[in-house]
C-alpha cells in the first residue's frame, strides 16, 4: 500500500514540478496583493441559527427599495416549496433584492432558513469586470451601481461568484442591473442599518463595523461552540465580504458555495492583465524586428546588386 | 381559529397555575400582571403580554429564564454563571432598560465602540430580545409561534406584507427564471 | 465548373470597357448589367430564395426583440446572462476572423509574397467577421445605444471587456484601412491606396498587437467565472493562450473554407492568379494551422496538468471534453498533416471545415454548455436561433456582395499595368 502511495506521490510531484518549471507560475503569485476593505466599512453578520423564515426582511426590502409588488404575499410561506429551473431554490431577481430559502436538514429537527442578498465584497467581481465603471465600493462598505452608464453587457452577472445581480430583461427601453445596494442611498449613507436588518424581528442580522462583526462572530462561536460550525462565511471568501454568516450546519448544506476560495475574483484575471503591457511594449519592436530580418536577405541582395553595378560602372 | 389556540393556551396555563398554586412565591407577585409591549410597533397592534400568566408557568427561582441575572435569582446558563453566579439584583429589570430599542443606530454603535472592555458585544436590541427569548420558549413548549398568534396585524402591516386586501393578483410566472 | 450562378454578370476588373469607355459606379455596382436585369438574375438564384425565407421570419423577430426586450427574444436569465448571440456571434465569429492579422503578418511582415493572392480574402474575412461580431453584440446589449460609453463617457480601464471594446474598435479601423486599397482600385481612387501602402507595416504590427490582446481577452473574460465554468475548460493561467492559439488555426481554417466556397460558387469572379495558386496556398495555410493546432493541444494538456484536473477526465464532463478535443483538434490535426504530406488540398479543405466546427464547439462549450456546470444547462430560445441565423445570413450576403465586386478574388487590371 505505502509503496504505491509513495510512487504515486513521487509521480505526481514530478509531473507537478515539470509543469511548474515549464510555466514558472505558482499559486502564490496571486496572493501578492489583496484589498482588505476600507478600515471603517460597515457590514452585517447574519446568524442563520436565529432565522425562522418569516420573510419580514423581504417585505422591508421591497418597501425600502420601492420594488414592484411580489407574486405572492410576503406572509405566504408556500414560496419555500417553489423550485425554479434546474430544481434550484429561489434567487434574487429584478423584483427581489433579498430572498430567504428553507433548507431541510435531515439530522436536524427543524429546517434552517438562509437569507441572502448581495454580499458586498471587499473586492467586488462585478466592479472589477465592469467596463463602464458603473460600480462603486463606498467607504461604508456598500457596492453600489450607477444605472445611467450601464451598457447592459451583463459581465458583472457572469463575474459575481454568488449569482446575485439580476437584470430587468423585461424592459426593452431601460434594462438595468438590479441588486441590493445595502440601502446605501436612503440609510447606510446616513449611518443607519439596511432596512432588512432593522425589520428583522429576531435580529438575525447584526449591523456594525465589519471588523467588530468578526469579533462578535468569533465570540459567539467561542461561547456557544455546539450552536455553530467553526466558520464565519464571508470573513475570507473571495477576499472577504461585508455580509457574513454564522450557521449551525455546514455551509454547503444551506446553499453556500464553499469552494470559492479566499482569492478575490480579480486575482484569477490578473494573469491576463499582466501580459497586456508586456504585449503592448514588446510586440512592436519584436515584429518590426521580424520584418527587418525577413527582408534583410532581399535588402542585401539589392545592396550587392547596386554595389556590383557601381563597380561595373567604375570599370567601364 | 387563532383565538381558540390562544384560549387553549390560556386554559392550559390556568390549569397549570391551579396545580402549582401553593408554590407561587412572594417575589413573583412583585412583577406586573400585564405588560403592554408596543414601543416598537409599526405593522402590528401593541401586544398585551400576560406577565402573571408566564410567571405562573415557571418555578419561583427561574426568573433568569427571561430576566437573566437582574432579579438575583440564580442564572441557569453555565456560561453566564462564571460571572453572574452571585452578581445580585440590579436596579433596572425591564427588558428595555438593557436592550436598546435602536440597536444599530450610529449613536448606540458608538457607545459600544467606546467601551473597549465590553463583554456582551452580541447583546441583542429590544426587538431581537423579545423574539429570541419568547419564540425559543414557545417553540420548546409547543406554544404558538406564528407572527399573528401573538400580534394583531394592522392595516399598515397588511400593506407592508402585501397581504389581506393588499394581496397581489395570482400572477402568471413571468419573473424570469 | 459552377459558372451557372455567375452567368450573365460582367466580371469587371478594370476601370475601362473594351471600347475605352469608363465603367460608371452604377455599372460597377450592378455588375455591368441594367438594374432591372440585375434584379431579375438575383431573383432567379435559388440561394437567394433561402435567404428571403430567413429574412421573412428573421426581420420581424429582430424588430420585436427591440420592442419587447431581451426577455422576450432570448433565454438569457439571471443565471445565464449570455446566450447564443455572444457564444456564437462574438466568441465564435471573432476567432474565425483572425485570418486578417494572420495574412497581413505573413505577407507584409514576413514578406511571403507568394500568399499575396489570398491576402485580401483573409483581410476581408477578418473585417466582416469583426463587424458582424459587433452587430451580434449590439443585438445582445441591453442598451446598445450606449456602445460608446466605455470609450468616451464612463471608462472602466481595469476591466477585460474594456480592452476588448477598445481593441475591437481600433482593430476594425485598422482592417478597414487595410482594405482601402481594394476599395480604391475598384472606385478608381489611387491616392488612398498609395497612402495606405506607406503605412502598411504600422497597420500590420498594430493588427498583431490588437489581435493578440483581444483574442486572448475573450478567453480572459471567462477567468471572471472560476467557480462557474467547468475546470476542464477553465484555466486562470492559460485561458487567454487557449483562445489566442485556437484563433490562429480557427482563422486560418475559416480562410480555407471561405476560399473553397469562393472557388465553388464564385469561380466566375476569381482570376487565374487566385484559382491557379489556391491549392498550393491552401496547403501552405494548412501547414500553419497544423502548427497552431499542435501548440494548442500541448498548452491544453499543460493546463489540465497544471491544475491537476486529470480526475475530471473520467467523469461525463471529461468525456465531453475529450470529444471536443478529439473531434475539434486531433482529427483535423491528423487530416492537415496527411494533406500537407501528400499535397492533397482536398483533405486540407475537409480538415478546415471540421476545424471551424471545432472552434464553434469549443466556444459554445465555454460560454454555454460548461458554464454553470454545477447548476443546469440552458438551451437558447428559438427566437435566438432565428435572429442569429438572420444576422449570419446578412454576413453571407454582405460577404458575397463585396467578393463579386471589389478586387478580392482577382487582381485589378490597371493595377498590374501601372
Amino acid at each position: 500500500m505505502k509503496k504505491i502511495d509513495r510512487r504515486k506521490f513521487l509521480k505526481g510531484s514530478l509531473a507537478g514540478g515539470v509543469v511548474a518549471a515549464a510555466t514558472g507560475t505558482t499559486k502564490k503569485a496571486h496572493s501578492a496583493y489583496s484589498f482588505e476593505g476600507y478600515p471603517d466599512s460597515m457590514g452585517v453578520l447574519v446568524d442563520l441559527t436565529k432565522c425562522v423564515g418569516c420573510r419580514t426582511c423581504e417585505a422591508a426590502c421591497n418597501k425600502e427599495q420601492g420594488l414592484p409588488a411580489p407574486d405572492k404575499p410576503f406572509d405566504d410561506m408556500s414560496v419555500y416549496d417553489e423550485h425554479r429551473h434546474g430544481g434550484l431554490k429561489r434567487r434574487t431577481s429584478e423584483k427581489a433584492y433579498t430572498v430567504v430559502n428553507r433548507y431541510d436538514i435531515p439530522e436536524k429537527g427543524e429546517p434552517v432558513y438562509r437569507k441572502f442578498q448581495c454580499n458586498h465584497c471587499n473586492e467586488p467581481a462585478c466592479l472589477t469586470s465592469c467596463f463602464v465603471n458603473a460600480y462603486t465600493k463606498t467607504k461604508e462598505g456598500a457596492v453600489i451601481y450607477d444605472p445611467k452608464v450601464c451598457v447592459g453587457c451583463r459581465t458583472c452577472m457572469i463575474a459575481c461568484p454568488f449569482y446575485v445581480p439580476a437584470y430587468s430583461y423585461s424592459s426593452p427601453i431601460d434594462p438595468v442591473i438590479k441588486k441590493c445596494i445595502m440601502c446605501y442611498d436612503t440609510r447606510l449613507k446616513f449611518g443607519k442599518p439596511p432596512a432588512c436588518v432593522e425589520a428583522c424581528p429576531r435580529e438575525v442580522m447584526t449591523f456594525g463595523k465589519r471588523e467588530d462583526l468578526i469579533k462578535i462572530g468569533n465570540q459567539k462561536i467561542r461561547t456557544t461552540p455546539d450552536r455553530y460550525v467553526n466558520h464565519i462565511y464571508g470573513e475570507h471568501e473571495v477576499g472577504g465580504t461585508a455580509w457574513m454568516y454564522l450557521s449551525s450546519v455546514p455551509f454547503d448544506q444551506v446553499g453556500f458555495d464553499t469552494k470559492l476560495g479566499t482569492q478575490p475574483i480579480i486575482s484569477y484575471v490578473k494573469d491576463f492583465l499582466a501580459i497586456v503591457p508586456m504585449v503592448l511594449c514588446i510586440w512592436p519592436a519584436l515584429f518590426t524586428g521580424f520584418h527587418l530580418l525577413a527582408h534583410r536577405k532581399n535588402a542585401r541582395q539589392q545592396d550587392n546588386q547596386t554595389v556590383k553595378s557601381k563597380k561595373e560602372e567604375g570599370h567601364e | 381559529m387563532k383565538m381558540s389556540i390562544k384560549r387553549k393556551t390560556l386554559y392550559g396555563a390556568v390549569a397549570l397555575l391551579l396545580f402549582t398554586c401553593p408554590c407561587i412565591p412572594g417575589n413573583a407577585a412583585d412583577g406586573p400582571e400585564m405588560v403592554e409591549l408596543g414601543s416598537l410597533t409599526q405593522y402590528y397592534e401593541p401586544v398585551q403580554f400576560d406577565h402573571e400568566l408566564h410567571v405562573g408557568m415557571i418555578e419561583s427561582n427561574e426568573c433568569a429564564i427571561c430576566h437573566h441575572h437582574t432579579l438575583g435569582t440564580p442564572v441557569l446558563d453555565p456560561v453566564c454563571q462564571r460571572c453572574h453566579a452571585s452578581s445580585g439584583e440590579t436596579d433596572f429589570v425591564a427588558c428595555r432598560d438593557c436592550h436598546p430599542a435602536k440597536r444599530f443606530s450610529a449613536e448606540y454603535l458608538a457607545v459600544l465602540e467606546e467601551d473597549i472592555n465590553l463583554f456582551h458585544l452580541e447583546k441583542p436590541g429590544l426587538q431581537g430580545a423579545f423574539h429570541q427569548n419568547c419564540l425559543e420558549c414557545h417553540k420548546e413548549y409547543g406554544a404558538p409561534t406564528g407572527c399573528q398568534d401573538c400580534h394583531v396585524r394592522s392595516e399598515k402591516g397588511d400593506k407592508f406584507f402585501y397581504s389581506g386586501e393588499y394581496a397581489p393578483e395570482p400572477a402568471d410566472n413571468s419573473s424570469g427564471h | 465548373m459552377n459558372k451557372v450562378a455567375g452567368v450573365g454578370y460582367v466580371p469587371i476588373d478594370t476601370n475601362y470597357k473594351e471600347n475605352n469607355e469608363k465603367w460608371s459606379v452604377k455599372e460597377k455596382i450592378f455588375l455591368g448589367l441594367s438594374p432591372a436585369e440585375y434584379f431579375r438574375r438575383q431573383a432567379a438564384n435559388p440561394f437567394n430564395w433561402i435567404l428571403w425565407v430567413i429574412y421573412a421570419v428573421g426581420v420581424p423577430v429582430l424588430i420585436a426583440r427591440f420592442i419587447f426586450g431581451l426577455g422576450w427574444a432570448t433565454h438569457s436569465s439571471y443565471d445565464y446572462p449570455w446566450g447564443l448571440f455572444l457564444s456564437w456571434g462574438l466568441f465564435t465569429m471573432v476567432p474565425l476572423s483572425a485570418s486578417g492579422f494572420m495574412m497581413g503578418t505573413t505577407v507584409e511582415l514576413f514578406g511571403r509574397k507568394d500568399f499575396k493572392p489570398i491576402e485580401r480574402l483573409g483581410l476581408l474575412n477578418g473585417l466582416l467577421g469583426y463587424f458582424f461580431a459587433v452587430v451580434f453584440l449590439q443585438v445582445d446589449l441591453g442598451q446598445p445605444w450606449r456602445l460608446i460609453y466605455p470609450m468616451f463617457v464612463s471608462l472602466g480601464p481595469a476591466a477585460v471587456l474594456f480592452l476588448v471594446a477598445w481593441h475591437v474598435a481600433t482593430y476594425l479601423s485598422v482592417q478597414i484601412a487595410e482594405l482601402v486599397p481594394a476599395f480604391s482600385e475598384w472606385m478608381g481612387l489611387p491616392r488612398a491606396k498609395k497612402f495606405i501602402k506607406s503605412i502598411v507595416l504600422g497597420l500590420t504590427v498594430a493588427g498583431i498587437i490588437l489581435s493578440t490582446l483581444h483574442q486572448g481577452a475573450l478567453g480572459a473574460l471567462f477567468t471572471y467565472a472560476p467557480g462557474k465554468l467547468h475546470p476542464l475548460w477553465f484555466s486562470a493561467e492559460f485561458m487567454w493562450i487557449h483562445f489566442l492559439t485556437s484563433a490562429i488555426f480557427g482563422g486560418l481554417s475559416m480562410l480555407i473554407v471561405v476560399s473553397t466556397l469562393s472557388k465553388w460558387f464564385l469561380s466566375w469572379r476569381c482570376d487565374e492568379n487566385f484559382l491557379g495558386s489556391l491549392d498550393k496556398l491552401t496547403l501552405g495555410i494548412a501547414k500553419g494551422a497544423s502548427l497552431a493546432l499542435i501548440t494548442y493541444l500541448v498548452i491544453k494538456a499543460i493546463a489540465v496538468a497544471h491544475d491537476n484536473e486529470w480526475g475530471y477526465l473520467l467523469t461525463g464532463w471529461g468525456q465531453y471534453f475529450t470529444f471536443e478535443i478529439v473531434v475539434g483538434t486531433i482529427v483535423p490535426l491528423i487530416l492537415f498533416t496527411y494533406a500537407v504530406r501528400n499535397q492533397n488540398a482536398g483533405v486540407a479543405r475537409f480538415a478546415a471545415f471540421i476545424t471551424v466546427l471545432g472552434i464553434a464547439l469549443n466556444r459554445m462549450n465555454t460560454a454555454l454548455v460548461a458554464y454553470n456546470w454545477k447548476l443546469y444547462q440552458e438551451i437558447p430560445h428559438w427566437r435566438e436561433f432565428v435572429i442569429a441565423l438572420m444576422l449570419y445570413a446578412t454576413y453571407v450576403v454582405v460577404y458575397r456582395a463585396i467578393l463579386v465586386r471589389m478586387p478580392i478574388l482577382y487582381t485589378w487590371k490597371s493595377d498590374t499595368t501601372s
Side-chain angles (χ1 to χ4, degrees), chain C residues 106-118:
Chain C
T106 310
V107 178
E108 306 299 341
L109 208 125
F110 291 119
R112 290 291 300 269
K113 300 290 179 198
D114 47 331
F115 281 92
K116 195 104 189 170
I118 208 168

Side-chain angles (χ1 to χ4, degrees), chain C residues 138-416:
Chain C
Q138 283 291 65
V139 175
D140 188 70
L141 285 178
Q143 310 212 13
W145 44 89
R146 289 180 177 172
L147 185 69
I148 55 145
Y149 275 33
M151 314 286 177
F152 306 111
V153 178
S154 180
L155 280 63
V160 171
L161 199 64
F162 180 83
L163 190 136
V164 175
W166 268 94
H167 283 202
V168 168
T170 324
Y171 188 48
L172 259 177
S173 26
V174 166
Q175 288 190 310
I176 289 171
E178 285 179 321
L179 278 164
V180 159
F183 183 73
S184 72
E185 286 170 0
W186 184 63
M187 287 294 289
L189 306 161
R191 231 182 263 167
K193 185 183 168 182
K194 230 178 176 177
F195 170 68
I196 293 298
K197 236 180 175 169
S198 68
I199 58 164
V200 73
L201 181 64
L203 286 176
T204 309
V205 174
I208 300 171
I209 297 168
L210 296 169
S211 295
T212 310
L213 288 177
H214 70 240
Q215 295 284 4
L218 287 179
L221 270 179
F222 289 98
T223 57
Y224 281 114
K228 297 182 180 180
L229 183 57
H230 191 281
L232 283 172
W233 280 269
F234 177 85
S235 167
E237 287 86 359
F238 300 104
M239 201 80 194
W240 70 273
I241 310 180
H242 287 155
F243 269 57
L244 177 62
T245 48
S246 58
I248 290 172
F249 62 75
L252 291 176
S253 298
M254 187 66 181
L255 183 57
I256 294 179
V257 168
V258 172
S259 65
T260 306
L261 293 176
S262 304
K263 187 183 125 146
W264 285 351
F265 300 113
L266 297 172
S267 57
W268 65 274
R269 187 66 279 194
C270 309
D271 64 3
E272 279 315 304
N273 188 22
F274 179 80
L275 289 178
S277 57
L278 190 57
D279 281 6
K280 206 177 97 248
L281 295 182
T282 301
L283 289 169
I285 295 169
K287 203 172 169 185
S290 54
L291 287 174
L293 270 167
I294 187 73
T295 313
Y296 175 75
L297 274 172
V298 170
I299 302 170
K300 205 78 176 165
I302 290 177
V304 174
H306 184 268
D307 296 331
N308 200 8
E309 293 157 352
W310 300 108
Y312 283 112
L313 287 176
L314 300 174
T315 64
W317 282 106
Q319 286 168 14
Y320 187 59
F321 178 78
T322 316
F323 170 79
E324 180 202 299
I325 292 287
V326 170
V327 172
T329 48
I330 294 179
V331 168
L333 177 61
I334 294 169
L335 289 174
F336 272 134
T337 316
Y338 174 87
V340 173
R341 281 268 171 95
N342 297 282
Q343 294 294 297
N344 187 334
V347 173
R349 292 192 172 109
F350 179 61
F353 270 103
I354 302 179
T355 313
V356 166
L357 294 178
I359 287 284
L361 182 65
N362 170 258
R363 298 306 199 262
M364 297 288 216
N365 284 346
T366 308
L368 272 180
V369 183
Y371 183 78
N372 278 347
W373 66 291
K374 289 182 201 161
L375 300 189
Y376 57 92
Q377 267 51 61
E378 182 66 274
I379 297 158
H381 199 286
W382 65 266
R383 292 181 185 125
E384 276 179 79
F385 284 103
V386 168
I387 293 174
L389 185 65
M390 196 211 76
L391 293 178
Y392 203 74
T394 313
Y395 164 74
V396 174
V397 167
V398 174
Y399 214 137
R400 186 182 63 175
I402 294 176
L403 283 183
V404 297
R405 288 174 179 83
M406 294 185 199
I408 306 291
L409 299 169
Y410 65 94
T411 317
W412 196 254
K413 281 281 164 55
S414 56
D415 185 42
T416 44

Side-chain angles (χ1 to χ4, degrees), chain C residues 14-32:
Chain C
T14 156
N15 280 321
Y16 294 94
K17 297 177 192 173
E18 276 173 25
N19 57 8
N20 269 350
E21 207 177 301
K22 210 170 179 185
W23 287 107
S24 71
V25 173
K26 190 179 158 192
E27 280 171 319
K28 281 178 179 171
I29 287 172
F30 288 108
L31 303 173

